[in-house]
Short mmCIF file of all heavy atoms in Angstrom, two decimals:
data_model
loop_
_atom_site.label_atom_id
_atom_site.label_comp_id
_atom_site.label_asym_id
_atom_site.label_seq_id
_atom_site.Cartn_x
_atom_site.Cartn_y
_atom_site.Cartn_z
N PHE A 20 -11.41 42.07 24.52
CA PHE A 20 -11.37 42.55 25.89
C PHE A 20 -11.85 41.56 26.89
O PHE A 20 -11.34 41.36 28.00
CB PHE A 20 -11.99 43.89 25.99
CG PHE A 20 -11.14 45.09 25.64
CD1 PHE A 20 -11.63 45.93 24.59
CD2 PHE A 20 -10.01 45.36 26.23
CE1 PHE A 20 -10.85 47.02 24.22
CE2 PHE A 20 -9.21 46.41 25.81
CZ PHE A 20 -9.63 47.22 24.87
N VAL A 21 -12.97 40.95 26.48
CA VAL A 21 -13.61 39.90 27.38
C VAL A 21 -12.67 38.79 27.48
O VAL A 21 -12.52 38.22 28.65
CB VAL A 21 -15.01 39.49 26.86
CG1 VAL A 21 -15.64 38.29 27.53
CG2 VAL A 21 -16.05 40.67 26.96
N ALA A 22 -12.08 38.29 26.45
CA ALA A 22 -11.19 37.10 26.48
C ALA A 22 -10.00 37.40 27.32
O ALA A 22 -9.52 36.51 28.13
CB ALA A 22 -10.79 36.71 25.09
N VAL A 23 -9.39 38.60 27.14
CA VAL A 23 -8.25 38.87 28.05
C VAL A 23 -8.61 39.06 29.52
O VAL A 23 -7.97 38.58 30.45
CB VAL A 23 -7.65 40.24 27.52
CG1 VAL A 23 -6.63 40.77 28.48
CG2 VAL A 23 -6.91 40.05 26.16
N GLY A 24 -9.74 39.61 29.77
CA GLY A 24 -10.17 39.72 31.14
C GLY A 24 -10.40 38.39 31.87
O GLY A 24 -10.02 38.10 32.91
N LEU A 25 -10.97 37.37 31.02
CA LEU A 25 -11.28 36.04 31.61
C LEU A 25 -9.96 35.41 31.74
O LEU A 25 -9.69 34.59 32.82
CB LEU A 25 -12.11 35.30 30.66
CG LEU A 25 -13.59 35.57 30.59
CD1 LEU A 25 -14.39 34.81 29.50
CD2 LEU A 25 -14.22 35.38 32.04
N ALA A 26 -8.98 35.50 30.81
CA ALA A 26 -7.69 34.93 31.04
C ALA A 26 -6.92 35.44 32.18
O ALA A 26 -6.32 34.64 32.95
CB ALA A 26 -6.90 35.04 29.70
N LEU A 27 -6.98 36.72 32.47
CA LEU A 27 -6.19 37.19 33.55
C LEU A 27 -6.91 36.84 34.81
O LEU A 27 -6.23 36.69 35.89
CB LEU A 27 -6.17 38.76 33.50
CG LEU A 27 -5.27 39.29 32.45
CD1 LEU A 27 -5.30 40.79 32.34
CD2 LEU A 27 -3.80 38.86 32.62
N SER A 28 -8.28 36.79 34.94
CA SER A 28 -8.86 36.45 36.18
C SER A 28 -8.68 34.94 36.44
O SER A 28 -8.73 34.51 37.66
CB SER A 28 -10.39 36.76 36.15
OG SER A 28 -11.00 35.86 35.13
N ALA A 29 -8.47 34.04 35.51
CA ALA A 29 -8.36 32.70 35.70
C ALA A 29 -6.83 32.33 36.10
O ALA A 29 -6.61 31.22 36.61
CB ALA A 29 -8.66 31.89 34.52
N ALA A 30 -5.88 33.16 35.87
CA ALA A 30 -4.47 32.93 36.00
C ALA A 30 -4.15 33.04 37.63
O ALA A 30 -4.81 33.86 38.27
CB ALA A 30 -3.57 33.80 35.30
N ASP A 31 -3.33 32.18 38.07
CA ASP A 31 -2.92 32.19 39.44
C ASP A 31 -1.73 33.24 39.59
O ASP A 31 -0.81 33.31 38.84
CB ASP A 31 -2.32 30.82 39.97
CG ASP A 31 -3.40 29.78 40.03
OD1 ASP A 31 -4.66 30.23 40.18
OD2 ASP A 31 -3.16 28.70 39.99
N ALA A 32 -1.84 34.10 40.64
CA ALA A 32 -0.80 35.02 40.95
C ALA A 32 0.25 34.37 41.75
O ALA A 32 -0.12 33.87 42.80
CB ALA A 32 -1.39 36.33 41.51
#
Side-chain angles (χ1 to χ4, degrees):
F20 278 122
V21 169
V23 169
L25 287 174
L27 290 178
S28 65
D31 291 337

